[in-house]
Amino acid sequence: MSNADYIINRDSEYVAHTYGRFPVAIVRGINATCWDPDGREYIDFTSGIGVNALGFCDAGWVSAVTEQLTKLQHISNLYYTEPCGELARILCQRSGMKKVFFANGGAEANEGAIKCARKYSFMKYGEGRSKILTLKNSFHGRTVTTLSATGQDVFHNYFFPFTEGFEFIAPGDIGELKKKAGGVCAVMMELIQGEGGVLPVDPEYVKQAAEFCRNNDILLIIDEVQTGIGRTGSLFCFEQYGIEPDIVTAAKGIGGGLPLAAVLFGEKTCDVFNPGDHATTFGGNPIACAGGIEILKRLDGAFLNEVKKKGEYIRERAKKMPHVAGLAGMGMMIGIELEPGISSADVVRAGLETGVLLLTAKAKVRLLPPLSITYSEIDSGLEALNEALKRI
Ligand SMILES: *Cc1c(COP(=O)(O)O)cnc(C)c1O
């Protein structure tokens, strides 16, 4: 039995089968290159689903995290710690938002955003204005409430009763948004639907929606769990849409690999929560935040420009590969549309044979490489992707 098989068999016996895992175990990595326990090498075009912003074991991130680890790992939100406030300050300065609530993952961040929107409206208008409009084909998380917010029928099974108060509208249809705005406290959307298939939402629609929301005191919540923290070539994707959201959620890339998420509140929403309204034991953990500070420091203007350039570089080359029908996304959030009849899951499986880790997003192959990936790693990964496509 190979070392990988040993790991895989034990996992299959004792870990609940909620994930359809690939038959691959990874034991170590550097930047965008990683290895299985038998020495097989892979180029990582997934960054742990958009999480490892600086790749595997970046020296600066490791040192920020380990330095904090030797000082204070946790003390609870009953006390002040250094990293939490500093990371919040940087996030606010860079985004124009006013205050931050730290959580541990995307769904939890979205729960915080939903609670904030409902309280904002309740305090101002009382009952009957608690509805939240979200987009069809969206993805907002796996808790009962964020599943309710997710605009895809496949997620609305088994777990009844779901949380009330969500309605789905078609992205791009401003008329439908206006028609359904009665009793609504917030509109929540991703700017590029990640799990939904790397589908950018029309910028003109987003602008009109933002304007309508502002004029009607409906809060605009932007879910940047996947698009945020440099992924699309700006710190937050909303900057490229020319809008000012009332609430922004971030997770995945913000901790560089440790569980960390943030709800960013704007002018209207930054004082909605009072002590006791909302909390989480692990949120703002000093180690995770110390890592987050390093991530934010490294993602300066020059770095973000490189993200755009590397994204273009990958797109240009992927366009010419066999079975590729088109490219979607922004920066290093990339969707590869395949010719009809070619399954994205088959391409991902073929990639495991040729030495590249890939993601799917519905019918597309999705690439979320670490933002720090080198051109030489990109070239190796693209070669393996090309070979995988040829084998289909
Ligand atoms: C991944 C994702 C989530 C859920 O994040 P978790 O950390 O898995 O809870 C929510 N929204 C979007 C847009 C995501 O991509």
Side-chain angles (χ1 to χ4, degrees):
M1 186 162 49
S2 71
N3 293 320
D5 284 341
Y6 177 76
I7 293 173
I8 291 164
N9 292 342
R10 182 181 50 191
D11 194 286
S12 302
E13 185 167 354
Y14 293 110
V15 177
H17 295 176
T18 63
Y19 302 103
R21 297 203 216 274
F22 295 106
V24 171
I26 299 296
V27 290
R28 75 192 169 87
I30 302 168
N31 204 33
T33 309
C34 57
W35 293 271
D36 87 349
D38 304 297
R40 238 191 97 78
E41 185 173 303
Y42 297 92
I43 295 294
D44 177 25
F45 275 173
T46 74
S47 62
I49 320 188
V51 167
N52 300 330
L54 299 178
F56 297 110
C57 305
D58 170 82
W61 179 82
V62 167
S63 120
V65 164
T66 48
E67 199 177 302
Q68 182 58 43
L69 185 54
T70 60
K71 283 199 277 189
L72 183 85
Q73 85 275 28
H74 176 82
I75 185 66
S76 90
N77 284 307
L78 299 175
Y79 307 97
Y80 295 92
T81 61
E82 272 187 300
C84 175
E86 175 60 1
L87 180 57
R89 182 190 71 80
I90 299 171
L91 281 168
C92 288
Q93 279 195 342
R94 297 274 302 269
S95 66
M97 303 300 281
K98 301 298 175 206
K99 281 192 170 74
V100 180
F101 175 86
F102 287 113
N104 304 284
E108 194 193 356
N110 286 335
E111 291 264 352
I114 290 163
K115 282 174 74 176
C116 176
R118 286 187 168 170
K119 188 181 174 200
Y120 171 86
S121 191
F122 182 84
M123 298 310 281
K124 228 168 145 175
Y125 303 101
E127 283 177 41
R129 197 178 177 275
S130 57
K131 227 189 289 171
I132 296 176
L133 300 179
T134 67
L135 300 188
K136 288 181 178 152
N137 197 46
S138 56
F139 181 79
H140 296 296
R142 295 285 194 159
T143 60
V144 171
T145 295
T146 55
L147 280 178
S148 301
T150 290
Q152 300 185 53
D153 289 340
V154 294
F155 290 106
H156 304 149
N157 289 310
Y158 319 125
F159 313 117
F160 303 100
F162 286 98
T163 307
E164 291 173 35
F166 293 93
E167 260 187 62
F168 312 120
I169 53 176
D173 187 348
I174 194 72
E176 188 183 15
L177 191 160
K178 290 179 182 173
K179 210 159 58 197
K180 292 197 171 159
V184 166
C185 66
V187 172
M188 174 154 122
M189 65 173 79
E190 302 154 89
L191 295 174
I192 303 172
Q193 295 183 326
E195 302 305 312
V198 195
L199 298 174
V201 179
D202 173 32
E204 203 44 50
Y205 167 77
V206 174
K207 265 196 190 150
Q208 288 173 352
E211 195 189 337
F212 178 79
C213 285
R214 190 169 46 245
N215 292 340
N216 293 278
D217 201 17
I218 292 169
L219 299 178
L220 180 62
I221 305 171
I222 303 294
D223 178 346
E224 295 242 25
V225 169
Q226 194 158 149
T227 53
I229 315 300
R231 177 55 56 188
T232 66
S234 50
L235 187 61
F236 289 102
C237 188
F238 79 77
E239 299 164 43
Q240 299 183 58
Y241 278 69
I243 54 166
E244 284 181 31
D246 298 296
I247 304 176
V248 176
T249 55
K252 295 196 164 90
I254 193 173
L258 287 173
L260 181 64
V263 190
L264 281 65
F265 303 109
E267 201 85 63
K268 274 189 185 178
T269 53
C270 65
D271 293 318
V272 168
F273 283 142
N274 291 319
D277 283 339
H278 195 49
T280 176
T281 298
F282 286 111
N285 170 272
I287 299 167
C289 285
I293 292 168
E294 175 69 12
I295 303 279
L296 269 284
K297 276 190 189 156
R298 297 274 288 283
L299 267 55
D300 61 10
F303 185 101
L304 293 171
N305 271 336
E306 265 308 299
V307 171
K308 280 189 189 153
K309 274 196 214 152
K310 286 180 205 167
E312 268 314 298
Y313 183 90
I314 293 170
R315 251 175 272 269
E316 281 307 307
R317 280 151 187 82
K319 229 176 3 203
K320 298 175 191 131
M321 290 184 187
H323 305 305
V324 171
L327 270 294
M330 283 164 81
M332 280 212 273
M333 181 167 177
I334 297 168
I336 303 175
E337 197 183 323
L338 301 166
E339 286 167 351
I342 306 288
S343 131
S344 55
D346 285 348
V347 177
V348 173
R349 276 188 285 270
L352 295 176
E353 285 165 24
T354 62
V356 62
L357 305 183
L358 306 162
L359 296 163
T360 61
K362 300 238 162 120
K364 290 196 183 100
V365 172
R366 176 174 43 152
L367 312 183
L368 300 172
L371 307 180
S372 57
I373 191 168
T374 64
Y375 282 97
S376 125
E377 286 172 323
I378 291 175
D379 287 341
S380 306
L382 287 174
E383 203 181 301
L385 171 60
N386 194 55
E387 184 55 35
L389 285 162
K390 271 204 258 175
R391 286 188 192 180
I392 296 290

